Amino acid sequence: MPPPIRQPDRATRLLSAAERDGTHCVWCRRECTGPIRATTDHLVPKVKGGPSWLENEVVSCGRCNRERGHRSPADWFGECERRGWSPDLDAVVGTLRSLDRAIATRGGRRRARPYLAAQLRRLDRLRTDRNRLAS
Ligand SMILES: [Zn+2]
């Protein structure tokens, strides 16, 4: 086992995620203020070996976090679009990439690696297709 990684507490990580990606929910893009509570959503779910690191966490409203459950980021991304939302692909892909780098640097997390690689492939393909359509 690699040595444990010292991470800031959850409230601090949530603030850092908001500084990185903005204070909107990455899934439905609602601003997380007032009654819309900001929560920490694990992109690679804990049950898939995803760590509680800033590199695996995004800002999500309580509703999206709850409804997503253990669904994969790519599956839930598609579901958000079916609902007519505009999920933040850049924030999701950017965070997954930083997780990929963090795992490469820190080691461990064997269970999360193939899951993460598959998610990055799916979401990168989606982004490439979008960019091609946009240009
Ligand atoms: Zn949301």
Side-chain angles (χ1 to χ4, degrees):
M1 284 289 282
I5 305 302
R6 190 167 305 155
Q7 283 279 315
D9 63 35
R10 194 154 57 114
T12 306
R13 294 199 312 273
L14 182 57
L15 280 174
S16 301
E19 278 171 15
R20 184 190 60 205
D21 302 327
T23 53
H24 59 279
C25 169
V26 298
W27 305 117
C28 70
R29 295 239 191 200
R30 294 190 298 172
E31 276 301 315
C32 293
T33 54
I36 300 172
R37 196 169 48 92
T39 66
T40 300
D41 192 14
H42 288 71
L43 286 178
V44 177
K46 288 182 192 172
V47 294
K48 300 293 183 186
S52 291
W53 299 344
L54 176 60
E55 293 89 346
N56 189 34
E57 294 173 337
V58 291
V59 176
S60 166
C61 71
R63 176 194 63 187
C64 287
N65 199 339
R66 199 171 46 247
E67 290 190 16
R68 180 187 158 203
H70 297 325
R71 265 184 273 195
S72 76
D75 284 348
W76 178 241
F77 190 92
E79 172 59 24
C80 291
E81 292 197 318
R82 274 189 291 280
R83 295 180 182 196
W85 302 340
S86 305
D88 191 339
L89 186 57
D90 287 339
V92 171
V93 170
T95 305
L96 287 173
R97 285 226 181 90
S98 75
L99 177 60
D100 196 41
R101 286 192 299 270
I103 290 175
T105 304
R106 297 168 191 170
R109 300 289 158 182
R110 290 197 167 281
R111 208 151 54 88
R113 291 181 190 208
Y115 183 94
L116 173 59
Q119 291 298 306
L120 269 173
R121 270 196 306 276
R122 283 178 64 186
L123 290 163
D124 268 336
R125 197 179 308 133
L126 193 66
R127 191 151 75 160
T128 305
D129 291 346
R130 300 262 158 100
N131 290 343
R132 195 176 299 136
L133 283 174
S135 62

